[in-house]
PDB file of all heavy atoms in Angstrom:
ATOM      1  N   ASP A1266      12.006  -8.115   2.624  1.00  0.00           N
ATOM      2  CA  ASP A1266      13.102  -7.290   2.071  1.00  0.00           C
ATOM      3  C   ASP A1266      12.598  -6.087   1.361  1.00  0.00           C
ATOM      4  O   ASP A1266      11.391  -5.851   1.281  1.00  0.00           O
ATOM      5  CB  ASP A1266      14.013  -8.186   1.172  1.00  0.00           C
ATOM      6  CG  ASP A1266      13.219  -8.717  -0.051  1.00  0.00           C
ATOM      7  OD1 ASP A1266      12.291  -8.101  -0.533  1.00  0.00           O
ATOM      8  OD2 ASP A1266      13.596  -9.836  -0.475  1.00  0.00           O
ATOM      9  N   ALA A1267      13.509  -5.305   0.840  1.00  0.00           N
ATOM     10  CA  ALA A1267      13.159  -3.986   0.277  1.00  0.00           C
ATOM     11  C   ALA A1267      12.381  -4.091  -0.998  1.00  0.00           C
ATOM     12  O   ALA A1267      11.730  -3.108  -1.425  1.00  0.00           O
ATOM     13  CB  ALA A1267      14.455  -3.199   0.022  1.00  0.00           C
ATOM     14  N   ALA A1268      12.321  -5.242  -1.635  1.00  0.00           N
ATOM     15  CA  ALA A1268      11.637  -5.358  -2.903  1.00  0.00           C
ATOM     16  C   ALA A1268      10.181  -5.025  -2.854  1.00  0.00           C
ATOM     17  O   ALA A1268       9.551  -4.625  -3.805  1.00  0.00           O
ATOM     18  CB  ALA A1268      11.886  -6.738  -3.506  1.00  0.00           C
ATOM     19  N   ARG A1269       9.532  -5.247  -1.647  1.00  0.00           N
ATOM     20  CA  ARG A1269       8.099  -5.084  -1.504  1.00  0.00           C
ATOM     21  C   ARG A1269       7.740  -3.810  -0.754  1.00  0.00           C
ATOM     22  O   ARG A1269       6.554  -3.655  -0.376  1.00  0.00           O
ATOM     23  CB  ARG A1269       7.526  -6.314  -0.819  1.00  0.00           C
ATOM     24  CG  ARG A1269       7.792  -7.616  -1.513  1.00  0.00           C
ATOM     25  CD  ARG A1269       7.350  -8.803  -0.724  1.00  0.00           C
ATOM     26  NE  ARG A1269       5.919  -8.967  -0.728  1.00  0.00           N
ATOM     27  CZ  ARG A1269       5.272 -10.003  -0.129  1.00  0.00           C
ATOM     28  NH1 ARG A1269       5.966 -10.905   0.563  1.00  0.00           N
ATOM     29  NH2 ARG A1269       3.964 -10.111  -0.192  1.00  0.00           N
ATOM     30  N   MET A1270       8.676  -2.910  -0.562  1.00  0.00           N
ATOM     31  CA  MET A1270       8.417  -1.692   0.183  1.00  0.00           C
ATOM     32  C   MET A1270       7.554  -0.738  -0.629  1.00  0.00           C
ATOM     33  O   MET A1270       7.568  -0.725  -1.852  1.00  0.00           O
ATOM     34  CB  MET A1270       9.702  -0.936   0.526  1.00  0.00           C
ATOM     35  CG  MET A1270      10.557  -1.648   1.594  1.00  0.00           C
ATOM     36  SD  MET A1270      11.911  -0.564   2.240  1.00  0.00           S
ATOM     37  CE  MET A1270      12.758  -0.107   0.729  1.00  0.00           C
ATOM     38  N   VAL A1271       6.763   0.081   0.083  1.00  0.00           N
ATOM     39  CA  VAL A1271       5.967   1.172  -0.544  1.00  0.00           C
ATOM     40  C   VAL A1271       6.347   2.466   0.197  1.00  0.00           C
ATOM     41  O   VAL A1271       6.582   2.451   1.409  1.00  0.00           O
ATOM     42  CB  VAL A1271       4.485   0.886  -0.498  1.00  0.00           C
ATOM     43  CG1 VAL A1271       4.079  -0.230  -1.404  1.00  0.00           C
ATOM     44  CG2 VAL A1271       4.033   0.595   0.934  1.00  0.00           C
ATOM     45  N   THR A1272       6.354   3.550  -0.511  1.00  0.00           N
ATOM     46  CA  THR A1272       6.682   4.863   0.040  1.00  0.00           C
ATOM     47  C   THR A1272       5.369   5.549   0.552  1.00  0.00           C
ATOM     48  O   THR A1272       4.273   5.152   0.156  1.00  0.00           O
ATOM     49  CB  THR A1272       7.345   5.778  -0.975  1.00  0.00           C
ATOM     50  OG1 THR A1272       6.439   6.059  -2.037  1.00  0.00           O
ATOM     51  CG2 THR A1272       8.599   5.092  -1.556  1.00  0.00           C
ATOM     52  N   LEU A1273       5.544   6.559   1.355  1.00  0.00           N
ATOM     53  CA  LEU A1273       4.381   7.331   1.817  1.00  0.00           C
ATOM     54  C   LEU A1273       3.693   7.973   0.635  1.00  0.00           C
ATOM     55  O   LEU A1273       2.453   8.083   0.604  1.00  0.00           O
ATOM     56  CB  LEU A1273       4.895   8.436   2.799  1.00  0.00           C
ATOM     57  CG  LEU A1273       5.220   7.944   4.201  1.00  0.00           C
ATOM     58  CD1 LEU A1273       5.747   9.122   5.042  1.00  0.00           C
ATOM     59  CD2 LEU A1273       4.049   7.275   4.900  1.00  0.00           C
ATOM     60  N   GLU A1274       4.473   8.438  -0.384  1.00  0.00           N
ATOM     61  CA  GLU A1274       3.883   9.032  -1.550  1.00  0.00           C
ATOM     62  C   GLU A1274       3.006   8.033  -2.311  1.00  0.00           C
ATOM     63  O   GLU A1274       1.911   8.362  -2.778  1.00  0.00           O
ATOM     64  CB  GLU A1274       4.978   9.573  -2.492  1.00  0.00           C
ATOM     65  CG  GLU A1274       5.752  10.762  -1.927  1.00  0.00           C
ATOM     66  CD  GLU A1274       6.701  10.431  -0.814  1.00  0.00           C
ATOM     67  OE1 GLU A1274       7.096   9.224  -0.733  1.00  0.00           O
ATOM     68  OE2 GLU A1274       7.020  11.306  -0.012  1.00  0.00           O
ATOM     69  N   GLN A1275       3.487   6.802  -2.448  1.00  0.00           N
ATOM     70  CA  GLN A1275       2.697   5.771  -3.069  1.00  0.00           C
ATOM     71  C   GLN A1275       1.397   5.490  -2.315  1.00  0.00           C
ATOM     72  O   GLN A1275       0.345   5.314  -2.906  1.00  0.00           O
ATOM     73  CB  GLN A1275       3.524   4.478  -3.216  1.00  0.00           C
ATOM     74  CG  GLN A1275       4.632   4.598  -4.296  1.00  0.00           C
ATOM     75  CD  GLN A1275       5.556   3.407  -4.266  1.00  0.00           C
ATOM     76  OE1 GLN A1275       5.885   2.865  -3.198  1.00  0.00           O
ATOM     77  NE2 GLN A1275       5.957   2.935  -5.475  1.00  0.00           N
ATOM     78  N   LEU A1276       1.495   5.454  -0.983  1.00  0.00           N
ATOM     79  CA  LEU A1276       0.337   5.204  -0.170  1.00  0.00           C
ATOM     80  C   LEU A1276      -0.704   6.323  -0.268  1.00  0.00           C
ATOM     81  O   LEU A1276      -1.892   6.091  -0.318  1.00  0.00           O
ATOM     82  CB  LEU A1276       0.735   4.952   1.327  1.00  0.00           C
ATOM     83  CG  LEU A1276       1.494   3.672   1.599  1.00  0.00           C
ATOM     84  CD1 LEU A1276       1.933   3.600   3.056  1.00  0.00           C
ATOM     85  CD2 LEU A1276       0.685   2.428   1.232  1.00  0.00           C
ATOM     86  N   ARG A1277      -0.204   7.562  -0.305  1.00  0.00           N
ATOM     87  CA  ARG A1277      -1.122   8.685  -0.442  1.00  0.00           C
ATOM     88  C   ARG A1277      -1.836   8.622  -1.806  1.00  0.00           C
ATOM     89  O   ARG A1277      -3.038   8.936  -1.877  1.00  0.00           O
ATOM     90  CB  ARG A1277      -0.345  10.007  -0.311  1.00  0.00           C
ATOM     91  CG  ARG A1277       0.157  10.280   1.090  1.00  0.00           C
ATOM     92  CD  ARG A1277       0.719  11.676   1.181  1.00  0.00           C
ATOM     93  NE  ARG A1277       1.237  11.970   2.543  1.00  0.00           N
ATOM     94  CZ  ARG A1277       2.540  11.958   2.887  1.00  0.00           C
ATOM     95  NH1 ARG A1277       3.467  11.754   1.946  1.00  0.00           N
ATOM     96  NH2 ARG A1277       2.866  12.225   4.120  1.00  0.00           N
ATOM     97  N   ALA A1278      -1.120   8.259  -2.866  1.00  0.00           N
ATOM     98  CA  ALA A1278      -1.742   8.152  -4.175  1.00  0.00           C
ATOM     99  C   ALA A1278      -2.794   7.021  -4.163  1.00  0.00           C
ATOM    100  O   ALA A1278      -3.885   7.166  -4.758  1.00  0.00           O
ATOM    101  CB  ALA A1278      -0.661   7.862  -5.207  1.00  0.00           C
ATOM    102  N   LEU A1279      -2.503   5.924  -3.537  1.00  0.00           N
ATOM    103  CA  LEU A1279      -3.470   4.828  -3.445  1.00  0.00           C
ATOM    104  C   LEU A1279      -4.682   5.244  -2.644  1.00  0.00           C
ATOM    105  O   LEU A1279      -5.837   4.900  -2.968  1.00  0.00           O
ATOM    106  CB  LEU A1279      -2.826   3.629  -2.832  1.00  0.00           C
ATOM    107  CG  LEU A1279      -1.782   2.856  -3.695  1.00  0.00           C
ATOM    108  CD1 LEU A1279      -1.085   1.815  -2.834  1.00  0.00           C
ATOM    109  CD2 LEU A1279      -2.440   2.190  -4.876  1.00  0.00           C
ATOM    110  N   ALA A1280      -4.460   6.039  -1.583  1.00  0.00           N
ATOM    111  CA  ALA A1280      -5.553   6.500  -0.739  1.00  0.00           C
ATOM    112  C   ALA A1280      -6.518   7.341  -1.555  1.00  0.00           C
ATOM    113  O   ALA A1280      -7.778   7.315  -1.297  1.00  0.00           O
ATOM    114  CB  ALA A1280      -5.034   7.233   0.470  1.00  0.00           C
ATOM    115  N   GLU A1281      -6.044   8.124  -2.440  1.00  0.00           N
ATOM    116  CA  GLU A1281      -6.872   8.982  -3.286  1.00  0.00           C
ATOM    117  C   GLU A1281      -7.760   8.148  -4.181  1.00  0.00           C
ATOM    118  O   GLU A1281      -8.874   8.578  -4.580  1.00  0.00           O
ATOM    119  CB  GLU A1281      -6.033   9.939  -4.103  1.00  0.00           C
ATOM    120  CG  GLU A1281      -5.349  11.000  -3.229  1.00  0.00           C
ATOM    121  CD  GLU A1281      -4.484  11.938  -4.111  1.00  0.00           C
ATOM    122  OE1 GLU A1281      -4.445  11.722  -5.317  1.00  0.00           O
ATOM    123  OE2 GLU A1281      -3.856  12.867  -3.521  1.00  0.00           O
ATOM    124  N   GLN A1282      -7.341   6.924  -4.509  1.00  0.00           N
ATOM    125  CA  GLN A1282      -8.119   6.054  -5.375  1.00  0.00           C
ATOM    126  C   GLN A1282      -9.172   5.262  -4.581  1.00  0.00           C
ATOM    127  O   GLN A1282     -10.093   4.681  -5.107  1.00  0.00           O
ATOM    128  CB  GLN A1282      -7.202   5.067  -6.104  1.00  0.00           C
ATOM    129  CG  GLN A1282      -6.164   5.735  -7.014  1.00  0.00           C
ATOM    130  CD  GLN A1282      -5.246   4.743  -7.648  1.00  0.00           C
ATOM    131  OE1 GLN A1282      -5.671   3.763  -8.266  1.00  0.00           O
ATOM    132  NE2 GLN A1282      -3.946   4.942  -7.463  1.00  0.00           N
ATOM    133  N   GLY A1283      -9.012   5.203  -3.224  1.00  0.00           N
ATOM    134  CA  GLY A1283      -9.965   4.462  -2.411  1.00  0.00           C
ATOM    135  C   GLY A1283      -9.289   3.465  -1.518  1.00  0.00           C
ATOM    136  O   GLY A1283      -8.168   3.009  -1.805  1.00  0.00           O
ATOM    137  N   LEU A1284      -9.947   3.108  -0.425  1.00  0.00           N
ATOM    138  CA  LEU A1284      -9.337   2.255   0.569  1.00  0.00           C
ATOM    139  C   LEU A1284      -9.044   0.839   0.029  1.00  0.00           C
ATOM    140  O   LEU A1284      -8.082   0.201   0.447  1.00  0.00           O
ATOM    141  CB  LEU A1284     -10.281   2.105   1.782  1.00  0.00           C
ATOM    142  CG  LEU A1284     -10.441   3.347   2.628  1.00  0.00           C
ATOM    143  CD1 LEU A1284     -11.514   3.154   3.683  1.00  0.00           C
ATOM    144  CD2 LEU A1284      -9.127   3.685   3.325  1.00  0.00           C
ATOM    145  N   GLU A1285      -9.831   0.378  -0.975  1.00  0.00           N
ATOM    146  CA  GLU A1285      -9.540  -0.939  -1.495  1.00  0.00           C
ATOM    147  C   GLU A1285      -8.208  -0.988  -2.231  1.00  0.00           C
ATOM    148  O   GLU A1285      -7.551  -2.008  -2.260  1.00  0.00           O
ATOM    149  CB  GLU A1285     -10.680  -1.391  -2.431  1.00  0.00           C
ATOM    150  CG  GLU A1285     -10.827  -0.596  -3.741  1.00  0.00           C
ATOM    151  CD  GLU A1285     -11.627   0.713  -3.575  1.00  0.00           C
ATOM    152  OE1 GLU A1285     -11.920   1.076  -2.396  1.00  0.00           O
ATOM    153  OE2 GLU A1285     -11.921   1.310  -4.616  1.00  0.00           O
ATOM    154  N   HIS A1286      -7.799   0.145  -2.810  1.00  0.00           N
ATOM    155  CA  HIS A1286      -6.485   0.256  -3.440  1.00  0.00           C
ATOM    156  C   HIS A1286      -5.373   0.244  -2.373  1.00  0.00           C
ATOM    157  O   HIS A1286      -4.329  -0.382  -2.576  1.00  0.00           O
ATOM    158  CB  HIS A1286      -6.386   1.480  -4.301  1.00  0.00           C
ATOM    159  CG  HIS A1286      -7.280   1.426  -5.519  1.00  0.00           C
ATOM    160  ND1 HIS A1286      -6.874   0.847  -6.695  1.00  0.00           N
ATOM    161  CD2 HIS A1286      -8.543   1.908  -5.695  1.00  0.00           C
ATOM    162  CE1 HIS A1286      -7.904   0.950  -7.544  1.00  0.00           C
ATOM    163  NE2 HIS A1286      -8.906   1.585  -6.986  1.00  0.00           N
ATOM    164  N   LEU A1287      -5.583   0.926  -1.262  1.00  0.00           N
ATOM    165  CA  LEU A1287      -4.637   0.858  -0.184  1.00  0.00           C
ATOM    166  C   LEU A1287      -4.523  -0.552   0.372  1.00  0.00           C
ATOM    167  O   LEU A1287      -3.390  -1.030   0.629  1.00  0.00           O
ATOM    168  CB  LEU A1287      -5.099   1.812   0.943  1.00  0.00           C
ATOM    169  CG  LEU A1287      -4.550   3.211   1.041  1.00  0.00           C
ATOM    170  CD1 LEU A1287      -5.127   3.890   2.277  1.00  0.00           C
ATOM    171  CD2 LEU A1287      -3.023   3.230   1.141  1.00  0.00           C
ATOM    172  N   ASP A1288      -5.619  -1.189   0.502  1.00  0.00           N
ATOM    173  CA  ASP A1288      -5.637  -2.530   1.075  1.00  0.00           C
ATOM    174  C   ASP A1288      -4.879  -3.523   0.191  1.00  0.00           C
ATOM    175  O   ASP A1288      -4.434  -4.550   0.672  1.00  0.00           O
ATOM    176  CB  ASP A1288      -7.054  -3.030   1.361  1.00  0.00           C
ATOM    177  CG  ASP A1288      -7.746  -2.291   2.451  1.00  0.00           C
ATOM    178  OD1 ASP A1288      -7.067  -1.486   3.197  1.00  0.00           O
ATOM    179  OD2 ASP A1288      -8.974  -2.439   2.629  1.00  0.00           O
ATOM    180  N   SER A1289      -4.749  -3.202  -1.089  1.00  0.00           N
ATOM    181  CA  SER A1289      -4.106  -4.156  -1.998  1.00  0.00           C
ATOM    182  C   SER A1289      -2.623  -4.324  -1.714  1.00  0.00           C
ATOM    183  O   SER A1289      -2.019  -5.291  -2.191  1.00  0.00           O
ATOM    184  CB  SER A1289      -4.274  -3.658  -3.449  1.00  0.00           C
ATOM    185  OG  SER A1289      -3.501  -2.481  -3.686  1.00  0.00           O
ATOM    186  N   VAL A1290      -2.023  -3.451  -0.956  1.00  0.00           N
ATOM    187  CA  VAL A1290      -0.581  -3.596  -0.660  1.00  0.00           C
ATOM    188  C   VAL A1290      -0.340  -4.164   0.727  1.00  0.00           C
ATOM    189  O   VAL A1290       0.841  -4.251   1.192  1.00  0.00           O
ATOM    190  CB  VAL A1290       0.189  -2.257  -0.837  1.00  0.00           C
ATOM    191  CG1 VAL A1290       0.073  -1.766  -2.241  1.00  0.00           C
ATOM    192  CG2 VAL A1290      -0.312  -1.191   0.161  1.00  0.00           C
ATOM    193  N   ILE A1291      -1.407  -4.507   1.428  1.00  0.00           N
ATOM    194  CA  ILE A1291      -1.246  -5.156   2.746  1.00  0.00           C
ATOM    195  C   ILE A1291      -0.849  -6.603   2.606  1.00  0.00           C
ATOM    196  O   ILE A1291      -1.375  -7.345   1.741  1.00  0.00           O
ATOM    197  CB  ILE A1291      -2.595  -5.077   3.551  1.00  0.00           C
ATOM    198  CG1 ILE A1291      -2.932  -3.638   3.915  1.00  0.00           C
ATOM    199  CG2 ILE A1291      -2.487  -5.893   4.792  1.00  0.00           C
ATOM    200  CD1 ILE A1291      -4.266  -3.482   4.616  1.00  0.00           C
ATOM    201  N   ILE A1292       0.132  -6.994   3.368  1.00  0.00           N
ATOM    202  CA  ILE A1292       0.643  -8.350   3.349  1.00  0.00           C
ATOM    203  C   ILE A1292      -0.039  -9.132   4.503  1.00  0.00           C
ATOM    204  O   ILE A1292      -0.218  -8.601   5.625  1.00  0.00           O
ATOM    205  CB  ILE A1292       2.177  -8.370   3.554  1.00  0.00           C
ATOM    206  CG1 ILE A1292       2.846  -7.734   2.329  1.00  0.00           C
ATOM    207  CG2 ILE A1292       2.723  -9.783   3.759  1.00  0.00           C
ATOM    208  CD1 ILE A1292       4.312  -7.500   2.523  1.00  0.00           C
ATOM    209  N   PRO A1293      -0.472 -10.372   4.254  1.00  0.00           N
ATOM    210  CA  PRO A1293      -1.074 -11.176   5.338  1.00  0.00           C
ATOM    211  C   PRO A1293      -0.195 -11.250   6.576  1.00  0.00           C
ATOM    212  O   PRO A1293       0.993 -11.386   6.469  1.00  0.00           O
ATOM    213  CB  PRO A1293      -1.284 -12.539   4.697  1.00  0.00           C
ATOM    214  CG  PRO A1293      -1.359 -12.270   3.227  1.00  0.00           C
ATOM    215  CD  PRO A1293      -0.415 -11.113   2.994  1.00  0.00           C
ATOM    216  N   MET A1294      -0.807 -11.165   7.735  1.00  0.00           N
ATOM    217  CA  MET A1294      -0.043 -11.071   8.961  1.00  0.00           C
ATOM    218  C   MET A1294       0.823 -12.297   9.201  1.00  0.00           C
ATOM    219  O   MET A1294       1.892 -12.219   9.835  1.00  0.00           O
ATOM    220  CB  MET A1294      -0.963 -10.829  10.140  1.00  0.00           C
ATOM    221  CG  MET A1294      -1.901 -11.977  10.482  1.00  0.00           C
ATOM    222  SD  MET A1294      -2.962 -11.546  11.914  1.00  0.00           S
ATOM    223  CE  MET A1294      -4.340 -10.725  11.128  1.00  0.00           C
ATOM    224  N   GLN A1295       0.417 -13.484   8.726  1.00  0.00           N
ATOM    225  CA  GLN A1295       1.188 -14.655   8.987  1.00  0.00           C
ATOM    226  C   GLN A1295       2.577 -14.636   8.261  1.00  0.00           C
ATOM    227  O   GLN A1295       3.458 -15.430   8.582  1.00  0.00           O
ATOM    228  CB  GLN A1295       0.428 -15.939   8.581  1.00  0.00           C
ATOM    229  CG  GLN A1295      -0.026 -16.013   7.156  1.00  0.00           C
ATOM    230  CD  GLN A1295      -1.471 -15.539   7.004  1.00  0.00           C
ATOM    231  OE1 GLN A1295      -1.894 -14.638   7.723  1.00  0.00           O
ATOM    232  NE2 GLN A1295      -2.222 -16.172   6.107  1.00  0.00           N
TER     233      GLN A1295
END
């Protein structure tokens, strides 16, 4: 549902901090 969504702006900000920060919002595939 929408509660766990992230925006492109949020992802860009996380990318500036490093890939490990981007990876923190990835949900397990299962």
Side-chain angles (χ1 to χ4, degrees):
D1266 60 33
R1269 302 173 75 180
M1270 291 192 304
V1271 289
T1272 65
L1273 286 177
E1274 291 73 22
Q1275 289 172 321
L1276 291 177
R1277 290 188 181 104
L1279 289 170
E1281 291 179 0
Q1282 300 175 55
L1284 290 173
E1285 67 277 9
H1286 292 275
L1287 263 182
D1288 291 350
S1289 69
V1290 298
I1291 294 177
I1292 294 171
M1294 67 180 87
Q1295 58 264 35

